[in-house]
Amino acid sequence: MPASTILITGATSGFGEATARRFAAEGWRVIITGRRKERLEVLRKELEGLHGTVEGPPVVHVLHFDVREYDAVVHAIASLPQEWQAIDVLVNNAGLAAGLDPIQDGRLDDWERMLDTNVKGLLHVSRAVIPGMIARAGGHIINIGSTAGKEVYPKGNVYCASKHAVDALTKGMRQDLLPHGIKVTQIAPGLAETEFSVVRFHGDTEKAKTPYQGLTPLRGEDIANLVWFAATLPPHVCINDLVVTPTAQANSNFIVKQ
Ligand code: NDP
Ligand code: 8X3
């Protein structure tokens, strides 16, 4: 039986990169995607090295696109070689927070980036991949939501709205894709130290550390382990929603720092 194939958006960093490493280490065929092409090439070489596959069939395929651009997404998915087209698992992970400001001070550019990436980007990639899953009568979509999609926190306004949309879209997808045997799962993490906070604070690396001070945050590997768990359950079992926080966090608004 051929190895299963996973496509991960946002594999250049954080959760996506850790998930690519986890699945490649388990022998899956991994399609890694993102905007930073150099990082994807470095990761491809590293993951291929795991298998010594220089002579054998490729275990990693790189797709380079911005999830906000629907035509680019469709073109990239359509460009997959025949042997890479049967995507078993899609991880909609690409996303970001931009800014942490009260609504009256929010920057329009930040709002557009978050909504275009976290909501429309997830829809673009899903729309391009789902028809193949329907044709094959199976597949699994794993959306990376957030505790910010469960409760709103002060100054989180638009980011929280985008992740509430992911929460709703996950439920909607599950209902619509049920007749086609496609599983749909949301994983909703709390505080995790990746490049997320550096992006949120527009490159201010000192400010980016503050959310994680005084607690042990989640790591990319923690989320990768949960994606692996959800993706490898028996065919009749579907995790609908998995909320995961550091032990020091109960929800978006209740965090105990030492
Ligand atoms: P990182 O910043 O480390 O990774 C984000 C990834 O998304 C990068 O690979 C980036 O790739 C990709 N990405 C961003 N914008 C685009 C775009 N327009 N097109 C394609 N790819 C894009 O953050 P995380 O790993 O932490 O975040 C991953 C997901 O997890 C996000 O959806 C985030 O909202 C969510 N999340 C994060 C939490 C945290 O505390 N860290 C907690 C809960 C959820 P590139 O820049 O190369 O395009
Ligand atoms: C990321 C977690 O609490 O920074 O989605 O919004 S939080």
Side-chain angles (χ1 to χ4, degrees), residues 41-88:
E41 285 303 330
V42 170
L43 184 59
R44 179 178 65 78
K45 288 197 180 87
E46 178 199 318
L47 298 183
E48 284 180 347
L50 281 176
H51 296 275
T53 51
V54 179
E55 302 298 327
V59 291
V60 183
H61 190 87
V62 169
L63 287 182
H64 173 234
F65 58 81
D66 184 326
V67 296
R68 292 173 294 182
E69 294 170 17
Y70 182 61
D71 289 347
V73 171
V74 169
H75 181 263
I77 302 295
S79 78
L80 281 169
Q82 182 69 31
E83 65 276 17
W84 283 92
Q85 282 180 10
I87 297 164
D88 299 291

Side-chain angles (χ1 to χ4, degrees), residues 163-179:
K163 289 299 181 177
H164 274 70
V166 173
D167 194 60
L169 287 170
T170 304
K171 291 172 186 158
M173 283 180 177
R174 189 176 313 107
Q175 291 172 15
D176 294 347
L177 299 176
L178 211 55

Side-chain angles (χ1 to χ4, degrees), residues 146 148 153 159 196 200:
S146 169
Y153 54 86
Y159 178 67
F196 174 85
R200 164 166 257 175

Side-chain angles (χ1 to χ4, degrees), residues 15 92-97 114-115 117-119 122 143-151 153 156-170 186-189 196:
F15 300 164
N92 278 315
N93 164 74
L96 77 160
M114 288 187 276
L115 295 171
T117 309
N118 302 355
V119 184
L122 179 147
N143 293 330
I144 304 299
S146 169
T147 45
K150 303 294 182 181
E151 306 99 15
Y153 54 86
N157 45 63
V158 176
Y159 178 67
C160 295
S162 77
K163 289 299 181 177
H164 274 70
V166 173
D167 194 60
L169 287 170
T170 304
Q186 173 174 245
I187 297 177
F196 174 85

